[in-house]
PDB file of all heavy atoms in Angstrom:
ATOM      1  N   LYS A  71      37.297  48.528 -20.955  1.00 95.00           N
ATOM      2  CA  LYS A  71      36.252  47.970 -21.802  1.00 95.00           C
ATOM      3  C   LYS A  71      36.216  48.671 -23.150  1.00 95.00           C
ATOM      4  O   LYS A  71      35.938  48.046 -24.166  1.00 95.00           O
ATOM      5  CB  LYS A  71      34.891  48.050 -21.108  1.00 95.00           C
ATOM      6  CG  LYS A  71      34.705  47.050 -20.011  1.00 95.00           C
ATOM      7  CD  LYS A  71      33.306  47.088 -19.466  1.00 95.00           C
ATOM      8  CE  LYS A  71      33.141  46.030 -18.384  1.00 95.00           C
ATOM      9  NZ  LYS A  71      31.776  45.991 -17.818  1.00 95.00           N
ATOM     10  N   ARG A  72      36.508  49.962 -23.150  1.00 95.00           N
ATOM     11  CA  ARG A  72      36.516  50.720 -24.397  1.00 95.00           C
ATOM     12  C   ARG A  72      37.645  50.251 -25.322  1.00 95.00           C
ATOM     13  O   ARG A  72      37.426  50.109 -26.522  1.00 95.00           O
ATOM     14  CB  ARG A  72      36.649  52.235 -24.123  1.00 95.00           C
ATOM     15  CG  ARG A  72      36.621  53.066 -25.340  1.00 95.00           C
ATOM     16  CD  ARG A  72      35.262  52.954 -26.085  1.00 95.00           C
ATOM     17  NE  ARG A  72      35.453  53.334 -27.462  1.00 95.00           N
ATOM     18  CZ  ARG A  72      34.888  52.743 -28.498  1.00 95.00           C
ATOM     19  NH1 ARG A  72      34.090  51.761 -28.339  1.00 95.00           N
ATOM     20  NH2 ARG A  72      35.127  53.157 -29.706  1.00 95.00           N
ATOM     21  N   THR A  73      38.812  49.988 -24.789  1.00 94.00           N
ATOM     22  CA  THR A  73      39.919  49.469 -25.593  1.00 94.00           C
ATOM     23  C   THR A  73      39.571  48.081 -26.138  1.00 94.00           C
ATOM     24  O   THR A  73      39.856  47.787 -27.291  1.00 94.00           O
ATOM     25  CB  THR A  73      41.205  49.407 -24.747  1.00 94.00           C
ATOM     26  OG1 THR A  73      41.495  50.704 -24.260  1.00 94.00           O
ATOM     27  CG2 THR A  73      42.381  48.892 -25.567  1.00 94.00           C
ATOM     28  N   LEU A  74      38.924  47.281 -25.331  1.00 95.00           N
ATOM     29  CA  LEU A  74      38.498  45.960 -25.763  1.00 95.00           C
ATOM     30  C   LEU A  74      37.523  46.089 -26.940  1.00 95.00           C
ATOM     31  O   LEU A  74      37.610  45.364 -27.934  1.00 95.00           O
ATOM     32  CB  LEU A  74      37.839  45.188 -24.631  1.00 95.00           C
ATOM     33  CG  LEU A  74      37.470  43.737 -24.915  1.00 95.00           C
ATOM     34  CD1 LEU A  74      38.697  42.913 -25.162  1.00 95.00           C
ATOM     35  CD2 LEU A  74      36.688  43.170 -23.728  1.00 95.00           C
ATOM     36  N   GLN A  75      36.618  47.060 -26.858  1.00 94.00           N
ATOM     37  CA  GLN A  75      35.660  47.320 -27.920  1.00 94.00           C
ATOM     38  C   GLN A  75      36.398  47.763 -29.181  1.00 94.00           C
ATOM     39  O   GLN A  75      36.033  47.368 -30.286  1.00 94.00           O
ATOM     40  CB  GLN A  75      34.639  48.382 -27.502  1.00 94.00           C
ATOM     41  CG  GLN A  75      33.642  48.757 -28.560  1.00 94.00           C
ATOM     42  CD  GLN A  75      32.805  47.587 -29.019  1.00 94.00           C
ATOM     43  OE1 GLN A  75      32.507  46.689 -28.284  1.00 94.00           O
ATOM     44  NE2 GLN A  75      32.417  47.590 -30.300  1.00 94.00           N
ATOM     45  N   THR A  76      37.440  48.573 -29.051  1.00 93.00           N
ATOM     46  CA  THR A  76      38.236  49.007 -30.200  1.00 93.00           C
ATOM     47  C   THR A  76      38.901  47.812 -30.849  1.00 93.00           C
ATOM     48  O   THR A  76      38.952  47.710 -32.091  1.00 93.00           O
ATOM     49  CB  THR A  76      39.271  50.046 -29.751  1.00 93.00           C
ATOM     50  OG1 THR A  76      38.608  51.142 -29.153  1.00 93.00           O
ATOM     51  CG2 THR A  76      40.134  50.532 -30.898  1.00 93.00           C
ATOM     52  N   TYR A  77      39.459  46.894 -30.038  1.00 93.00           N
ATOM     53  CA  TYR A  77      40.084  45.684 -30.572  1.00 93.00           C
ATOM     54  C   TYR A  77      39.069  44.894 -31.403  1.00 93.00           C
ATOM     55  O   TYR A  77      39.375  44.364 -32.464  1.00 93.00           O
ATOM     56  CB  TYR A  77      40.615  44.804 -29.462  1.00 93.00           C
ATOM     57  CG  TYR A  77      41.875  45.284 -28.792  1.00 93.00           C
ATOM     58  CD1 TYR A  77      42.483  46.494 -29.120  1.00 93.00           C
ATOM     59  CD2 TYR A  77      42.478  44.524 -27.809  1.00 93.00           C
ATOM     60  CE1 TYR A  77      43.662  46.912 -28.493  1.00 93.00           C
ATOM     61  CE2 TYR A  77      43.665  44.930 -27.172  1.00 93.00           C
ATOM     62  CZ  TYR A  77      44.216  46.134 -27.511  1.00 93.00           C
ATOM     63  OH  TYR A  77      45.369  46.560 -26.901  1.00 93.00           O
ATOM     64  N   ARG A  78      37.867  44.839 -30.886  1.00 93.00           N
ATOM     65  CA  ARG A  78      36.798  44.129 -31.573  1.00 93.00           C
ATOM     66  C   ARG A  78      36.457  44.812 -32.907  1.00 93.00           C
ATOM     67  O   ARG A  78      36.337  44.173 -33.950  1.00 93.00           O
ATOM     68  CB  ARG A  78      35.541  44.108 -30.700  1.00 93.00           C
ATOM     69  CG  ARG A  78      35.016  42.764 -30.411  1.00 93.00           C
ATOM     70  CD  ARG A  78      33.797  42.852 -29.552  1.00 93.00           C
ATOM     71  NE  ARG A  78      32.645  42.683 -30.439  1.00 93.00           N
ATOM     72  CZ  ARG A  78      31.411  42.998 -30.146  1.00 93.00           C
ATOM     73  NH1 ARG A  78      31.135  43.540 -28.980  1.00 93.00           N
ATOM     74  NH2 ARG A  78      30.447  42.762 -30.970  1.00 93.00           N
ATOM     75  N   ALA A  79      36.280  46.111 -32.845  1.00 92.00           N
ATOM     76  CA  ALA A  79      35.907  46.869 -34.038  1.00 92.00           C
ATOM     77  C   ALA A  79      36.988  46.829 -35.142  1.00 92.00           C
ATOM     78  O   ALA A  79      36.650  46.786 -36.315  1.00 92.00           O
ATOM     79  CB  ALA A  79      35.624  48.331 -33.664  1.00 92.00           C
ATOM     80  N   LYS A  80      38.226  46.802 -34.738  1.00 90.00           N
ATOM     81  CA  LYS A  80      39.320  46.773 -35.709  1.00 90.00           C
ATOM     82  C   LYS A  80      39.645  45.345 -36.191  1.00 90.00           C
ATOM     83  O   LYS A  80      40.505  45.171 -37.041  1.00 90.00           O
ATOM     84  CB  LYS A  80      40.582  47.382 -35.107  1.00 90.00           C
ATOM     85  CG  LYS A  80      40.479  48.888 -34.946  1.00 90.00           C
ATOM     86  CD  LYS A  80      41.776  49.452 -34.428  1.00 90.00           C
ATOM     87  CE  LYS A  80      41.722  50.965 -34.360  1.00 90.00           C
ATOM     88  NZ  LYS A  80      42.997  51.541 -33.904  1.00 90.00           N
ATOM     89  N   GLY A  81      38.980  44.357 -35.621  1.00 89.00           N
ATOM     90  CA  GLY A  81      39.221  42.968 -36.016  1.00 89.00           C
ATOM     91  C   GLY A  81      40.476  42.373 -35.393  1.00 89.00           C
ATOM     92  O   GLY A  81      40.915  41.303 -35.803  1.00 89.00           O
ATOM     93  N   ILE A  82      41.010  43.000 -34.376  1.00 91.00           N
ATOM     94  CA  ILE A  82      42.181  42.492 -33.680  1.00 91.00           C
ATOM     95  C   ILE A  82      41.795  41.291 -32.817  1.00 91.00           C
ATOM     96  O   ILE A  82      42.544  40.335 -32.695  1.00 91.00           O
ATOM     97  CB  ILE A  82      42.823  43.603 -32.808  1.00 91.00           C
ATOM     98  CG1 ILE A  82      43.332  44.708 -33.723  1.00 91.00           C
ATOM     99  CG2 ILE A  82      43.928  43.048 -31.942  1.00 91.00           C
ATOM    100  CD1 ILE A  82      43.728  45.972 -32.988  1.00 91.00           C
ATOM    101  N   LEU A  83      40.613  41.371 -32.253  1.00 92.00           N
ATOM    102  CA  LEU A  83      40.146  40.292 -31.355  1.00 92.00           C
ATOM    103  C   LEU A  83      38.714  39.941 -31.744  1.00 92.00           C
ATOM    104  O   LEU A  83      37.826  40.790 -31.734  1.00 92.00           O
ATOM    105  CB  LEU A  83      40.201  40.774 -29.903  1.00 92.00           C
ATOM    106  CG  LEU A  83      39.829  39.796 -28.812  1.00 92.00           C
ATOM    107  CD1 LEU A  83      40.741  38.582 -28.828  1.00 92.00           C
ATOM    108  CD2 LEU A  83      39.879  40.461 -27.458  1.00 92.00           C
ATOM    109  N   GLY A  84      38.515  38.695 -32.121  1.00 91.00           N
ATOM    110  CA  GLY A  84      37.181  38.255 -32.498  1.00 91.00           C
ATOM    111  C   GLY A  84      36.311  38.046 -31.261  1.00 91.00           C
ATOM    112  O   GLY A  84      36.823  37.843 -30.159  1.00 91.00           O
ATOM    113  N   ALA A  85      35.028  38.094 -31.469  1.00 92.00           N
ATOM    114  CA  ALA A  85      34.085  37.923 -30.367  1.00 92.00           C
ATOM    115  C   ALA A  85      32.831  37.252 -30.813  1.00 92.00           C
ATOM    116  O   ALA A  85      32.513  37.247 -32.021  1.00 92.00           O
ATOM    117  CB  ALA A  85      33.746  39.296 -29.753  1.00 92.00           C
ATOM    118  N   THR A  86      32.113  36.662 -29.900  1.00 91.00           N
ATOM    119  CA  THR A  86      30.835  36.045 -30.141  1.00 91.00           C
ATOM    120  C   THR A  86      29.847  36.646 -29.179  1.00 91.00           C
ATOM    121  O   THR A  86      30.135  36.812 -27.992  1.00 91.00           O
ATOM    122  CB  THR A  86      30.916  34.533 -29.922  1.00 91.00           C
ATOM    123  OG1 THR A  86      31.854  33.989 -30.836  1.00 91.00           O
ATOM    124  CG2 THR A  86      29.580  33.842 -30.136  1.00 91.00           C
ATOM    125  N   GLN A  87      28.664  36.948 -29.687  1.00 90.00           N
ATOM    126  CA  GLN A  87      27.644  37.568 -28.841  1.00 90.00           C
ATOM    127  C   GLN A  87      26.490  36.580 -28.668  1.00 90.00           C
ATOM    128  O   GLN A  87      25.955  36.038 -29.614  1.00 90.00           O
ATOM    129  CB  GLN A  87      27.133  38.857 -29.477  1.00 90.00           C
ATOM    130  CG  GLN A  87      26.650  39.834 -28.479  1.00 90.00           C
ATOM    131  CD  GLN A  87      26.471  41.213 -29.100  1.00 90.00           C
ATOM    132  OE1 GLN A  87      26.503  41.381 -30.301  1.00 90.00           O
ATOM    133  NE2 GLN A  87      26.259  42.213 -28.253  1.00 90.00           N
ATOM    134  N   ILE A  88      26.104  36.375 -27.398  1.00 88.00           N
ATOM    135  CA  ILE A  88      24.979  35.530 -27.048  1.00 88.00           C
ATOM    136  C   ILE A  88      24.119  36.290 -26.094  1.00 88.00           C
ATOM    137  O   ILE A  88      24.576  36.683 -25.005  1.00 88.00           O
ATOM    138  CB  ILE A  88      25.455  34.193 -26.382  1.00 88.00           C
ATOM    139  CG1 ILE A  88      26.400  33.444 -27.332  1.00 88.00           C
ATOM    140  CG2 ILE A  88      24.276  33.330 -26.011  1.00 88.00           C
ATOM    141  CD1 ILE A  88      27.039  32.227 -26.735  1.00 88.00           C
ATOM    142  N   ASN A  89      22.865  36.488 -26.464  1.00 89.00           N
ATOM    143  CA  ASN A  89      21.921  37.221 -25.616  1.00 89.00           C
ATOM    144  C   ASN A  89      22.476  38.542 -25.119  1.00 89.00           C
ATOM    145  O   ASN A  89      22.488  38.826 -23.917  1.00 89.00           O
ATOM    146  CB  ASN A  89      21.448  36.376 -24.445  1.00 89.00           C
ATOM    147  CG  ASN A  89      20.610  35.220 -24.874  1.00 89.00           C
ATOM    148  OD1 ASN A  89      19.984  35.240 -25.931  1.00 89.00           O
ATOM    149  ND2 ASN A  89      20.580  34.161 -24.085  1.00 89.00           N
ATOM    150  N   ARG A  90      22.993  39.348 -26.014  1.00 89.00           N
ATOM    151  CA  ARG A  90      23.538  40.669 -25.696  1.00 89.00           C
ATOM    152  C   ARG A  90      24.799  40.644 -24.855  1.00 89.00           C
ATOM    153  O   ARG A  90      25.231  41.684 -24.386  1.00 89.00           O
ATOM    154  CB  ARG A  90      22.497  41.548 -25.011  1.00 89.00           C
ATOM    155  CG  ARG A  90      21.285  41.862 -25.849  1.00 89.00           C
ATOM    156  CD  ARG A  90      20.423  42.833 -25.123  1.00 89.00           C
ATOM    157  NE  ARG A  90      19.100  42.851 -25.732  1.00 89.00           N
ATOM    158  CZ  ARG A  90      18.072  43.466 -25.191  1.00 89.00           C
ATOM    159  NH1 ARG A  90      18.199  44.087 -24.044  1.00 89.00           N
ATOM    160  NH2 ARG A  90      16.917  43.453 -25.802  1.00 89.00           N
ATOM    161  N   LYS A  91      25.349  39.479 -24.596  1.00 92.00           N
ATOM    162  CA  LYS A  91      26.592  39.389 -23.830  1.00 92.00           C
ATOM    163  C   LYS A  91      27.698  38.935 -24.780  1.00 92.00           C
ATOM    164  O   LYS A  91      27.509  38.040 -25.573  1.00 92.00           O
ATOM    165  CB  LYS A  91      26.418  38.387 -22.684  1.00 92.00           C
ATOM    166  CG  LYS A  91      27.587  38.429 -21.735  1.00 92.00           C
ATOM    167  CD  LYS A  91      27.287  37.873 -20.400  1.00 92.00           C
ATOM    168  CE  LYS A  91      28.516  37.960 -19.514  1.00 92.00           C
ATOM    169  NZ  LYS A  91      28.301  37.564 -18.199  1.00 92.00           N
TER     170      LYS A  91
END
Side-chain angles (χ1 to χ4, degrees):
K71 285 186 178 182
R72 181 64 202 140
T73 302
L74 186 65
Q75 177 61 31
T76 301
Y77 286 3
R78 236 181 101 197
K80 289 184 175 181
I82 296 168
L83 184 60
T86 299
Q87 208 166 12
I88 302 173
N89 292 336
R90 297 185 195 169
K91 189 159 181 175

